[in-house]
Amino acid sequence: MHPDVIVVGGGLMGCSIAYRLAKEGTRVLVLERSIPGAEASSAAAGILGPTVESFDDAFALQLGRQSRELHAALAEELDEHFGIDVGFRRCGVVKIALDEAEAAELDQQASSLQVQGVRCERWSREELLEREPSCNPEATGALSMAEDAQVEPKKLLSAVALGAEREGATFRTGATVRGVRVEGGRVRGVQLGEETVEADRVIVAAGSWTTLIPGLPFNSETIFPVRGQMIATETRPPIFRRVIFGAGGYVVTRPDGRVLCGSTMERVGFERGITFGGMADVIQKATRIAPGLRSASIVEHWSSFRPGTPDGLPLVGETHVDGLFVASGHYRNGILLAPLTAEILADAIAQRPESRQAEALSPRRFEGPRG
């Protein structure tokens, strides 16, 4: 089969794009060097919290809120069509303040969100502890954002990959792309060792490794890895009902009592691993949010790489090379922005009118002069 589109990367981003394109009748080939979701997709906490992540950036907040609602529709669709619960829960996100300076910051954040039309509530210390008794009793108060949600990334990844295959997409694992083939200013396919796979359109969704692929018109600093270390534990009953941010970290509680604590943000290149310093940092943040976690056992710990960009926004869309598209650089919001990214690229592939969001996220803002 000669695919219409090759997607490089089988994480949630690549699988979401493949699912969306395949539903429109596009012949899609997904190339993944390992197994789908082996990197950041499976390691993420699955927070759909644009109001806590992007409250001070109106454009990023708009993107996140739009994509969060696409998640809600996608979760319903995947459950209806394939019987898979991806763990979408509009549980709400709460950010706590542990001193007066942080309380003032919450007041400012609440004002900023209300200007943007976001529903949020400022809680006193007593209201916080009534609703989330496991929070640090030294907290001076909190800001609650009830519209935000969470999802279970591994379940979501499995569901969109299955959906893509059911819609006709093809997956090849163990397929390491050695370069993008470009001739005469347009893409011709990709190189897999000695093998060439031809296609008139290629979408590179390779996360932190995107700019390491030869043939892309970017330097290595356009998308860079940021290591994040995380810890998982379990509590009975579940320690929180909502996602809790505070002390520079967060605690995410699943309905079954699994608790995810994170996360570091380290510019260490592609150096993998768990460090004493990283674990100490995560533990300190988590136990400042919930002192009761001091007696919890560490069930699991891991690290992954988030793809950062110089301006904090992802690269989504076509490059100056005709037919060559990029979907990467989502940093901490890869899970959140996956459905919106898939929508933008489906519009681009179908040559539908470009939205304002697509224009702002264009990869061309980081490319050098044509020539």
Side-chain angles (χ1 to χ4, degrees):
M1 179 196 79
H2 187 287
D4 298 320
V5 177
I6 292 172
V7 177
V8 180
L12 179 61
M13 199 63 64
C15 289
S16 297
I17 294 165
Y19 178 49
R20 180 60 188 264
L21 291 176
K23 284 201 303 177
E24 296 191 3
T26 304
R27 293 176 299 179
V28 183
L29 172 64
V30 180
L31 301 176
E32 168 55 43
R33 64 177 182 171
S34 180
I35 58 174
E39 296 294 346
S41 296
S42 296
I47 302 169
L48 307 180
T51 58
V52 72
E53 294 276 14
S54 306
F55 71 92
D56 58 349
D57 184 327
F59 178 66
L61 177 61
Q62 179 194 31
L63 290 177
R65 293 177 73 194
Q66 183 178 347
S67 199
R68 182 192 62 204
E69 299 314 307
L70 291 175
H71 265 286
L74 177 62
E76 186 176 335
E77 177 182 314
L78 293 170
D79 188 18
E80 179 182 345
H81 291 179
F82 309 115
I84 301 175
D85 176 8
V86 299
F88 178 88
R89 295 172 56 233
R90 206 178 288 274
C91 57
V93 169
V94 171
K95 187 174 181 180
I96 66 171
L98 292 166
D99 57 37
E100 292 307 317
E102 290 183 358
E105 289 176 7
L106 289 190
D107 290 336
Q108 183 179 1
Q109 182 171 347
S111 297
S112 178
L113 289 173
Q114 287 162 358
V115 168
Q116 300 298 325
V118 175
R119 184 164 55 90
C120 59
E121 291 183 353
R122 191 71 165 81
W123 290 350
S124 68
R125 173 183 174 277
E126 291 72 25
E127 289 171 324
L128 169 65
L129 295 178
E130 179 184 354
R131 292 169 171 86
E132 295 289 0
S134 296
C135 267
N136 191 334
E138 295 181 3
T140 63
L143 181 63
S144 169
M145 294 145 286
E147 297 174 349
D148 282 348
Q150 64 168 278
V151 70
E152 297 194 38
K154 289 183 180 179
K155 292 181 179 180
L156 178 59
L157 175 65
S158 296
V160 292
L162 172 64
E165 287 189 293
R166 294 264 180 94
E167 295 289 349
T170 302
F171 285 75
R172 281 184 60 177
T173 58
T176 301
V177 173
R178 302 296 182 186
V180 175
R181 282 193 57 210
V182 178
E183 296 175 6
R186 75 160 295 109
V187 76
R188 301 297 180 184
V190 300
Q191 202 69 34
L192 302 176
E194 299 299 316
E195 178 189 2
T196 299
V197 183
E198 295 183 353
D200 293 329
R201 286 164 290 185
V202 173
I203 301 172
V204 179
S208 297
W209 291 266
T210 295
T211 54
L212 300 184
I213 298 174
L216 290 172
F218 309 108
N219 65 45
S220 60
E221 285 300 303
T222 303
I223 297 174
F224 50 83
V226 182
R227 186 173 68 186
Q229 301 184 49
M230 293 184 64
I231 291 174
T233 184
E234 292 180 354
T235 62
R236 295 289 189 275
I239 192 167
F240 291 129
R241 293 175 55 201
R242 301 163 180 82
V243 175
I244 310 293
F245 277 75
Y250 56 79
V251 175
V252 180
T253 307
R254 303 287 192 228
D256 62 0
R258 191 163 191 257
V259 181
L260 310 180
C261 306
S263 167
T264 63
M265 292 180 284
E266 306 166 83
R267 289 288 301 271
V268 293
F270 287 98
E271 183 179 330
R272 291 188 181 273
I274 301 296
T275 65
F276 275 79
M279 288 294 95
D281 182 54
V282 173
I283 290 168
Q284 180 187 40
K285 291 172 179 176
T287 54
R288 286 199 71 203
I289 293 170
L293 288 175
R294 292 193 183 101
S295 60
S297 300
I298 295 177
V299 174
E300 190 179 359
H301 52 76
W302 64 94
S303 69
S304 66
F305 299 113
R306 306 182 188 92
T309 65
D311 65 1
L313 290 174
L315 282 67
V316 180
E318 191 171 19
T319 69
H320 279 132
V321 177
D322 291 341
L324 177 58
F325 299 79
V326 175
S328 187
H330 295 78
Y331 192 38
R332 290 163 60 99
N333 293 310
I335 302 297
L336 171 64
L337 294 177
L340 180 60
T341 299
E343 184 174 273
I344 290 172
L345 283 168
D347 287 344
I349 293 292
Q351 297 184 322
R352 291 188 281 265
E354 187 176 64
S355 66
R356 187 177 69 86
Q357 293 98 323
E359 184 179 355
L361 300 179
S362 171
R364 298 178 183 183
R365 71 189 190 274
F366 287 116
E367 294 180 56
R370 301 188 72 172

